[in-house]
Amino acid sequence: MSTQKLVSRLFSGALWLALLLPQAAPALDLPALIRDVEQQYHGTSSHALTTMQVRTVNWERTLEMEAWSLGRDYFLVRILEPAKERGVATLKRDREVWNYLPKVDRTIKVPPSMMGGSWMGSHITNDDLVKASHVDEDYTFRLLEEGPGHWLIECLPRPEAAVVWGKIVYRLRKQPRVPEQIDYFDEEQQRVREIRFDDVRKLGDRIVPLKLTVTPLDKPGEQTVLHYRDLAFGVPLDQGYFNLRSLQQH
């Protein structure tokens, strides 16, 4: 047998052996997975009607709101009810946030020192509005656990990232691919907040949880529940809509 035929037969045998052996699963793209989850309520663009119920040790209140988004960087939300707060609005462009207060007809840019403050009196922060859609850029990722129906992913901040959390852990359901819970840790690695996701429904070609429950673990008995009453994707919006003039309309 010639050397050429021998090499050819060995190559063919090795090829068949490779095809018959179990193939390794492709590596999970953790940043892409987190990015998809964080943008599930936005899509290319979106319009939503939401109800937010806030309970603290001293008071409770319910807000009806309308919101618009474009990609990950543009977001506008306006209070519809109660009447005394109608027109209060928040605009996010890139990583900057403005609030509009109609009673005094004043627009206020949120400074970096106030990004950790409460948004609309809830347990959601201004920083959440800005940073949530950029987790894939500000953190590194490690798969902590993979079960038959879920992934557990640890997110650690990059050294250069200006973030408030010492660690974030996502528990994601595989089918449908939606979050079940997100745990937030402080710089001392103590779990201080959790967000639970419920009421999973199909809207068009997307499947999303319509109820989010935010619980601050250092404030027993307090929580914020955000419920999407209506959510539409692919609405006609452009960057020009997300300006200070739109913020002040009410």
Side-chain angles (χ1 to χ4, degrees), residues 19 22 33 38 70 73 83 89 91 108 117 133 142 156 163 176 182-183 195-196 198 201 213 239 250:
L19 292 174
L33 184 58
E38 286 294 352
L70 180 65
D73 293 321
L91 170 68
I108 303 171
S133 60
R142 182 166 67 99
L156 296 175
V163 296
I182 306 176
D183 293 318
I195 301 180
R196 298 194 316 275
D198 301 288
R201 300 191 191 185
T213 303
Q239 294 181 12
H250 61 282

Side-chain angles (χ1 to χ4, degrees), residues 62-155:
T62 299
L63 301 176
E64 303 292 338
M65 300 182 293
E66 185 173 15
W68 300 261
S69 73
L70 180 65
R72 65 161 68 186
D73 293 321
Y74 299 89
F75 176 73
L76 174 64
V77 60
R78 183 176 295 115
I79 294 179
L80 303 177
E81 299 291 341
K84 65 179 182 179
E85 296 185 66
R86 184 177 300 141
V88 173
T90 296
L91 170 68
K92 173 197 170 221
R93 288 180 60 93
D94 297 320
R95 299 203 181 203
E96 297 181 315
V97 177
W98 290 264
N99 289 323
Y100 176 64
L101 306 176
K103 284 187 177 181
V104 294
D105 191 23
R106 185 180 178 190
T107 299
I108 303 171
K109 185 176 181 180
V110 179
S113 60
M114 294 183 62
M115 292 305 291
S118 171
W119 176 70
M120 301 288 190
S122 72
H123 299 95
I124 301 169
T125 68
N126 294 305
D127 189 78
D128 290 328
L129 300 181
V130 173
K131 301 292 180 61
S133 60
H134 291 274
V135 171
D136 62 303
E137 298 174 355
D138 293 335
Y139 291 78
T140 60
F141 305 95
R142 182 166 67 99
L143 183 63
L144 295 180
E145 176 183 303
E146 180 172 4
H150 75 276
W151 294 295
L152 200 64
I153 301 171
E154 177 187 68
C155 312

Side-chain angles (χ1 to χ4, degrees), residues 33 36-38 40-41 149-151 170-182 197-202 206-210:
L33 184 58
D36 290 345
V37 167
E38 286 294 352
Q40 65 182 336
Y41 296 104
H150 75 276
W151 294 295
Y170 288 74
R171 183 181 177 91
L172 307 180
R173 188 189 305 178
K174 288 184 176 180
Q175 293 295 331
R177 187 172 293 187
V178 296
E180 295 181 337
Q181 184 165 314
I182 306 176
F197 297 82
D198 301 288
D199 193 13
V200 177
R201 300 191 191 185
K202 185 173 184 180
R206 303 172 72 93
I207 299 177
V208 295
L210 297 184

Side-chain angles (χ1 to χ4, degrees), residues 32-50:
L33 184 58
I34 295 297
R35 181 168 58 250
D36 290 345
V37 167
E38 286 294 352
Q39 296 188 69
Q40 65 182 336
Y41 296 104
H42 304 309
T44 304
S45 61
S46 72
H47 172 257
L49 295 174
T50 63

Side-chain angles (χ1 to χ4, degrees), residues 7-21 23:
V7 170
S8 177
R9 288 189 177 184
L10 289 174
F11 177 79
S12 298
L15 179 61
W16 277 108
L17 182 61
L19 292 174
L20 292 172
L21 288 174
Q23 299 299 303

